[in-house]
């Protein structure tokens, strides 16, 4: 229901400026360009300052967490945006009707993709102004939208999966982990009791791991598991200043949490290796 309302709002907004549903390719390209532009501004202190924002790194550094990933993990945005850029150019070319099994499904999921891009652009503005709660809500909406796209395109076997599926799968899996981290950060901003923050951090690690495992197995998609493993391992190896974090956990307790994240990451890798055999067995 929420996703339906969001898509209706997107359609209404574009319709008001003369970009009806029949111009879905142009709408997708415009919203993706806005998303990339906002991420470019959020990516450095100097660029963010030009539009009155703080960079993502600057905001995150004020709220150290037990679940903050190591910095290298965010390099995943490179292949995500590159893949989605290739998809956008390919989509604008109109070749999907010739090169995939169900090009019509791409049009049907286009409004959801536009909603994801709009929400991610707004997320950059919200996070860059320190509105962490608003950002967490938007990031949850992004994860829900990408989950919808992932389910529909995977179920219908659109084809040309390296273009139509893989970038969005990576985006979906990473955003699930990012949304959980964003909610942990929100708890820090509202001064939630440390014991509550510690409990939510532990639950977030387990939830991210189980989501990656379950989604990979039920949708026969190794990419989800691999991206989840990437996120969990990056959390486990991040140096943690326990005083700045304000945790009630002892160093041994934090070490156990990191070991759990590593174990779940390893399980995700194992699941990813098993999925091709599962897919063959099911077909």
């Amino acid at each position: 229901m929420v996703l339906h309302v969001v898509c209706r709002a997107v359609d209404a907004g574009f319709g008001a400026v003369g970009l009806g549903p029949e111009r879905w390719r142009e709408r997708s390209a415009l919203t993706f360009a806005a998303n990339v532009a906002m991420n470019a501004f959020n990516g450095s202190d100097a660029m963010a300052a030009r539009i009155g924002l703080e960079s993502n790194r600057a905001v995150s550094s004020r709220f150290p967490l037990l679940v903050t990933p190591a910095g290298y993990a965010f390099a995943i945005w490179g292949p995500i945006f590159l893949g989605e850029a290739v998809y956008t150019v390919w989509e604008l070319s109109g070749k999907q009707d010739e090169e995939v099994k169900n090009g019509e499904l791409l049009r049907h999921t286009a409004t959801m993709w536009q909603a994801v891009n709009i929400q991610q652009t707004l997320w950059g503005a919200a996070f860059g102004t320190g509105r962490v709660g608003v950002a967490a809500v938007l990031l949850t909406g992004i994860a829900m939208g990408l989950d919808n796209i992932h389910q529909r395109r995977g179920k219908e076997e659109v084809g040309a999966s390296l273009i139509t599926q893989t970038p969005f799968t990576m985006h979906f899996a990473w955003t699930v982990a990012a949304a959980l981290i964003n909610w942990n950060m929100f708890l820090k901003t509202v001064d939630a009791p440390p014991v509550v923050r510690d409990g939510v951090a532990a639950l977030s690690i387990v939830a991210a791991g189980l989501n990656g495992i379950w989604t990979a197995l039920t949708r026969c998609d190794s990419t989800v598991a691999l991206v989840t493993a990437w996120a969990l391992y990056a959390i486990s190896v991040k140096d943690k200043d326990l005083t700045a974090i304000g945790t009630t956990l002892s160093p041994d307790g934090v070490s156990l949490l990191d070991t759990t994240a590593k174990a779940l990451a390893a399980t995700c890798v194992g699941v990813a290796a098993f999925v091709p055999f599962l897919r063959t067995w099911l077909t």
Side-chain angles (χ1 to χ4, degrees), residues 59-60 63 65 127 132 181-189:
V59 176
S60 296
F63 307 106
L65 306 168
F127 196 77
V132 177
I181 294 167
N182 207 152
W183 282 113
N184 278 265
M185 189 176 294
F186 170 69
L187 292 177
K188 189 76 178 282
T189 66

Side-chain angles (χ1 to χ4, degrees), residues 216-275:
L217 290 173
T218 56
R219 301 183 193 174
C220 291
D221 194 329
S222 296
T223 304
V224 175
L226 291 173
V227 173
T228 302
W230 173 269
L232 288 171
Y233 186 76
I235 289 171
S236 73
V237 299
K238 167 73 172 177
D239 289 332
K240 297 173 176 65
D241 183 339
L242 302 190
T243 302
I245 292 171
T247 178
T248 61
L249 298 179
S250 66
D252 286 344
V254 174
S255 178
L256 177 60
L257 198 63
D258 288 340
T259 300
T260 301
K262 283 189 177 77
L264 285 167
T267 304
C268 285
V269 172
V271 167
F274 172 70
V275 162

Side-chain angles (χ1 to χ4, degrees), residues 46-192:
M47 290 289 286
R50 291 183 181 182
I51 55 173
L53 302 177
E54 289 185 89
S55 68
N56 292 343
R57 183 178 300 177
V59 176
S60 296
S61 67
R62 297 209 308 272
F63 307 106
L65 306 168
L66 289 171
V67 292
T68 300
Y72 75 82
F74 297 97
I76 197 171
W77 283 115
I80 288 174
F81 279 139
L82 178 61
E84 290 171 349
V86 170
Y87 170 82
T88 299
V89 173
W90 175 79
E91 187 180 66
L92 283 170
S93 73
K95 292 182 179 179
Q96 68 275 0
D97 293 330
E98 305 168 10
E99 298 180 3
V100 300
K101 298 176 184 177
N102 190 355
E104 188 68 11
L105 182 63
L106 298 181
R107 184 178 69 82
H108 289 160
T109 56
T111 302
M112 187 66 69
W113 171 229
Q114 294 152 24
V116 164
N117 282 313
I118 291 169
Q119 288 180 94
Q120 192 155 333
T121 304
L122 294 174
W123 177 89
F127 196 77
T129 52
R131 294 176 172 84
V132 177
V134 175
V137 171
L138 288 167
L139 202 46
T140 303
I142 294 164
M144 291 171 63
L146 288 166
D147 176 53
N148 180 273
I149 293 171
H150 184 257
Q151 285 191 70
R152 294 182 66 185
R153 292 187 180 179
K155 186 182 296 183
E156 297 295 330
E157 296 184 354
V158 176
S161 61
L162 282 176
I163 297 176
T164 64
Q165 189 79 344
T166 301
F168 301 94
T169 303
M170 294 176 67
H171 198 163
F172 159 59
W174 178 255
T175 304
V176 169
L180 290 168
I181 294 167
N182 207 152
W183 282 113
N184 278 265
M185 189 176 294
F186 170 69
L187 292 177
K188 189 76 178 282
T189 66
V190 297
D191 294 322

